[in-house]
Amino acid sequence: MMKSKLSRSFSQMKQFNLLGLLLLLLSGCYGEDKGSLSANSVIYCAEGSPESFNPQTVTSGTTIDAISYQLYDRLISFQTKDNEIGPSLAKSWHVTRDGKMITFYLRKDVSFHQTDYFTPTRSLNADDVLFSFNRLLDPGHNFHFVSGGKYPFFQSVGFSSLVDDIEKINDYTVRFKLSRADSSFLANLATDFAVILSAEYAGQLAAEDNHQKIDLLPVGTGPYKFKEYRVGSLIRYYRHENYWRDQVAIEQLVYDITPSKTGRLTKLLANECDVIAYPVAHEKITEHANLTLEAVTSFNVSYLGFNTQKPPFDNKLVRQAIAYAINKQAIIDAIYFGHAEVAKSLLPASSWAHDRSIAGHGFSISKAKALLAQAGYPDGLTMDIWALPVQRAYNPNALTTAKLIQADLQQIGVTVNIVSNYEWSTFSRLLARGEHQAVLLGWSADHPDPDNFFTPILSCASMNTGNNRAFWCDPTFDNFLYQSLQTTNTRERKKHYAQALRILSEEVPLLPIAHSRRYQARHKNVQGELLHPFGGIDFSGVSKN
């Protein structure tokens, strides 16, 4: 069954690339050269290509940055000032005392995008909410499997076992009925992934038997609408003229896909980009009168993940040995230039569930050698480490990190082969299939609830979706997460998370390495907030002088 679903997913990815090539051929019909962009346009130089144009189907930060906040809205969202949950497409909501029924009251003035391929005839209503969530909840839904039936975030948090039913009360009122109270439910609905699609557009595609276009030619309610995608080159968005929030200042937003970090910096200096992702040479940027360097303290963690389904990492003694042999501080100094802190556990110190009593694995070659011998490898072993091929805030240079670890592990007789020849989409797909042995990766939280650091990436449910890159499943660990979600008492929840963290420290399905800041560079004439502590970037409030 799993193989069948993966085959469908791979087939869908090929469709995605084929459609992108088609769009490339057609782009001459309406595409503009980058050089013709007006003063009301912003060019963002991004580190990679999107895997999809629907956030429901992915969890990668590169894709979420490209699509989520530009094209879509959610029922509720995190407010910029205080990170509290606030209204969005739902103007208000009500939760019953037992926490098992949540009723949302929708706005009546929300327009979907009018594009070259869709003209809406009505505003957003309850049918759009039902379509968006029933699609991912119901395997019998006619859109459920069009992108392989993978909804990694929702499946990893057990959304289908939590939501019993979604009821349309009237055109502008929707009620979620839950099987149990869940203290993270509202936070999960405010994430990048919980976007609202157009049921009317889906109906048009179904009538045309073009179901797969729902995730490739997007229609949302967000501040920008899709214009074109040139594979590996650029994404072009136009302003949504009827956006329900404040008028968007930028007429055209272009993502210039530039995987090379030095290439992005060169383009910034040459005025070919207005804003760049994950800049290098911070000092050079700050010395430039027309440029500014921004940073935000992110809820994130970088880690070395072990595929616990493959030898030798099916042996926790080996995982523990590797953990003790890695000098994290040296990585912080060399990769992050001091702009990060050593991760002693999965949770950053700024999380209310952080537990200082968990010390993590210190750097100790003697302990590492003893554990490796105890595991049956007194003469060492050979292993592969896959290095993340794009820069992320949690790891701006995975290849160099891998080389540092390679040198560390040589001291205990472990030979490391570094795998770095995959582009992002292929890398991500192969990881989900579990083809790696160990991987340098990370996680940027989607919301401030601590559950977001556990369930989406280490639960048994997330192993089944491939989002759990360690392919590790521990029912006791899962039970602590479950117990924490059953109460809103923070003290009780923290006790459960502390138990979960101790299991991770003992079992080491992954080794937390660093909690870091996220950087971005831009020309000073580009105004407005882009970066947030969690979630993707947002160009809705950006203007250009």
Side-chain angles (χ1 to χ4, degrees), residues 257-268:
I257 299 166
T258 309
S260 164
K261 53 184 180 290
T262 53
R264 293 196 297 275
L265 179 61
T266 301
K267 287 184 176 181
L268 182 73

Side-chain angles (χ1 to χ4, degrees), residues 155-272:
Q155 290 164 340
S156 65
V157 299
F159 203 67
S160 61
S161 65
L162 175 64
V163 178
D164 276 343
D165 188 33
I166 307 175
E167 182 183 3
K168 175 182 175 180
I169 306 300
N170 58 46
D171 280 351
Y172 296 99
T173 307
V174 176
R175 180 171 294 151
F176 284 70
K177 297 180 179 178
L178 308 186
S179 60
R180 61 184 185 277
D182 186 315
S183 55
S184 68
F185 178 73
L186 287 176
N188 285 335
L189 281 196
T191 61
D192 302 337
F193 317 105
V195 299
I196 302 301
L197 310 179
S198 165
E200 184 184 17
Y201 177 49
Q204 173 185 304
L205 294 178
E208 298 169 352
D209 196 23
N210 277 324
H211 298 71
Q212 75 282 0
K213 289 184 179 178
I214 192 81
D215 299 328
L216 306 174
L217 293 174
V219 169
T221 61
Y224 297 93
K225 60 184 182 182
F226 179 87
K227 183 58 181 176
E228 67 168 324
Y229 173 45
R230 303 185 190 183
V231 178
S233 177
L234 67 81
I235 310 166
R236 192 187 308 273
Y237 297 133
Y238 282 175
R239 178 169 63 195
H240 181 191
E241 303 88 345
N242 299 314
Y243 188 45
W244 60 277
R245 290 186 191 267
D246 295 338
Q247 177 70 41
V248 177
I250 298 301
E251 293 178 359
Q252 186 174 188
L253 173 63
V254 174
Y255 277 61
D256 183 322
I257 299 166
T258 309
S260 164
K261 53 184 180 290
T262 53
R264 293 196 297 275
L265 179 61
T266 301
K267 287 184 176 181
L268 182 73
L269 295 171
N271 287 321
E272 294 180 18

Side-chain angles (χ1 to χ4, degrees), residues 431-480:
L431 282 186
R433 292 162 56 169
E435 297 196 8
H436 58 290
Q437 197 175 34
V439 61
L440 280 167
L441 206 61
W443 180 255
S444 294
D446 308 295
H447 57 68
D449 193 289
D451 182 73
N452 194 248
F453 273 95
F454 296 102
T455 299
I457 60 174
L458 282 170
S459 65
C460 295
S462 66
M463 185 182 78
N464 296 329
T465 67
N467 209 43
N468 178 342
R469 310 305 196 192
F471 289 87
W472 175 78
C473 171
D474 185 323
T476 304
F477 173 81
D478 267 23
N479 189 52
F480 282 122

